[in-house]
Amino acid sequence: MDQALDRASAVADALRFVPGETKFANLDTRATPGQSDKGQAATQLLDLDSRLEGLQERLWAESVGGGERRVVLVLQGMDTSGKDGTIRQVTRSLNPQGVAVYSFKAPTAEERRHDFLWRIENAVAKPGYVGIFNRSHYEDVLIVRVHKMVPEEELSTRYERINEFEHRHSDDGVVWVKCMLHISPKAQKERLLARLDDPTKYWKYNAADLAERARWGDYSTAYSDALEKCTTDVAPWYVVPSDSKWYRNWAVAHLLLGALETMALQYPPADFNVAEQRRLVEAAP
């Protein structure tokens, strides 16, 4: 029995957002479906390291053999939800040469001159890579919506355009793993205070986070609509309870494992005569 893969499948089933059935407002940020023991979770994460490393190598090897597949892990969440910490966790065993991390902040002047998906198109992982989006194209239906940065008629078209974008890249070999790191206002407040209590964390504190926190209800509505409208068969959303950092890391690592295992990655066969090349190597001075 493959216990890690069984866990990954169970976690995906528990956290997958189901439009029309899952109620975002009712999801518990403190829940830990699939694992309630922090110590056991840490041990299981260590066990996943070598497995993720091997899967990444196969993904890269497949691309060397001409394969087009790649993975894009999307991380969304309110400030302090742990996007950076999650990235450090899930990439710690991966070869950095095959990982592409993009952090999407406020658009530059150049990016604003283009369609909202332009900068995302340019960041989609190349074949063989594990791509990670720290925030993503969903900012354009989240913060843009909350701050009313575009007219309503423009905003309303973006959900379907996002779905079309994700479908098109899925057809081109992208496997999407979209995680909403779900925290409570209480957990966010504790994390903001922790930054103010530690001089080594001052650099992480942004006074603007308080202004965004005041719009919590608006962001919750925006997230609910994005989850409802942009969960598809090829790009489902997973809502990861993230009040507990250890569970967040454990869950996302298992979601990534499940996605890579489902791809049934194989090393490409030799495109040369192995026996002949062995003979030449053995005969070499």
Side-chain angles (χ1 to χ4, degrees):
M1 176 182 292
D2 191 331
Q3 293 182 334
L5 192 53
D6 287 345
R7 287 197 305 269
S9 178
V11 169
D13 289 343
L15 302 184
R16 184 179 289 109
F17 188 89
V18 182
E21 295 183 21
T22 308
K23 300 299 181 185
F24 178 64
N26 296 336
L27 294 175
D28 187 356
T29 59
R30 300 165 301 174
T32 60
Q35 181 53 273
S36 59
D37 188 314
K38 182 178 179 180
Q40 188 177 66
T43 299
Q44 291 170 348
L45 271 177
L46 288 173
D47 291 342
L48 287 190
D49 282 351
S50 61
R51 187 152 182 171
L52 287 171
E53 180 183 16
L55 287 164
Q56 184 204 19
E57 182 178 81
R58 273 184 269 166
L59 177 64
W60 184 264
E62 182 183 271
S63 72
V64 172
E68 293 292 323
R69 294 191 294 177
R70 70 300 293 262
V71 172
V72 176
L73 172 64
V74 175
L75 298 176
Q76 284 287 158
M78 294 290 286
D79 296 316
T80 77
S81 60
K83 296 177 287 293
D84 290 343
T86 303
I87 291 170
R88 285 194 299 272
Q89 173 61 55
V90 301
T91 63
R92 66 182 185 179
S93 66
L94 303 183
N95 186 332
Q97 294 183 97
V99 177
V101 179
Y102 291 90
S103 182
F104 293 99
K105 301 184 183 300
T108 64
E110 170 68 11
E111 290 167 344
R112 286 195 296 272
R113 285 194 286 269
H114 296 271
D115 178 76
F116 79 98
L117 286 170
W118 180 78
R119 65 176 182 164
I120 314 298
E121 290 276 9
N122 292 335
V124 173
K126 295 178 174 60
Y129 277 80
V130 174
I132 303 177
F133 287 176
N134 184 340
R135 301 187 188 272
S136 67
H137 40 305
Y138 284 94
E139 291 295 286
D140 288 281
V141 291
L142 293 170
I143 189 171
V144 167
R145 170 177 171 164
V146 169
H147 288 271
K148 297 179 170 55
M149 295 177 180
V150 299
E152 177 60 35
E153 55 270 25
E154 161 67 16
L155 181 72
S156 64
T157 68
R158 290 188 172 186
Y159 301 98
E160 187 54 38
R161 292 173 64 196
I162 286 172
N163 289 341
E164 291 170 353
F165 165 81
E166 291 174 352
H167 270 88
R168 173 164 52 82
H169 282 286
S170 176
D171 289 342
D172 288 341
V174 171
V175 174
W176 296 98
V177 184
K178 301 189 306 188
C179 299
M180 190 274 181
L181 308 183
H182 190 29
I183 62 168
S184 64
K186 180 177 182 291
Q188 188 194 59
K189 186 174 184 177
E190 291 172 351
R191 293 176 189 180
L192 289 173
L193 287 172
R195 291 178 180 179
L196 294 172
D197 289 339
D198 183 353
T200 68
K201 299 291 179 64
Y202 289 167
W203 65 274
K204 297 180 71 174
Y205 184 80
N206 185 344
D209 291 348
L210 285 178
E212 296 305 289
R213 177 180 169 82
R215 298 173 180 267
W216 196 279
D218 293 336
Y219 274 105
S220 293
T221 299
Y223 267 107
S224 180
D225 282 354
L227 295 168
E228 283 282 349
K229 296 176 181 180
C230 297
T231 289
T232 63
D233 290 342
V234 300
W237 269 109
Y238 299 96
V239 181
V240 180
S242 298
D243 279 9
S244 296
K245 296 178 183 179
W246 66 264
Y247 179 79
R248 175 200 70 206
N249 294 339
W250 180 89
V252 175
H254 277 83
L255 290 171
L256 180 60
L257 171 72
L260 287 164
E261 287 284 11
T262 301
M263 296 169 74
L265 297 160
Q266 302 293 326
Y267 288 106
D271 58 358
F272 52 85
N273 186 313
V274 176
E276 175 63 12
Q277 291 302 310
R278 173 178 287 278
R279 185 188 67 78
L280 292 172
V281 170
E282 289 174 344

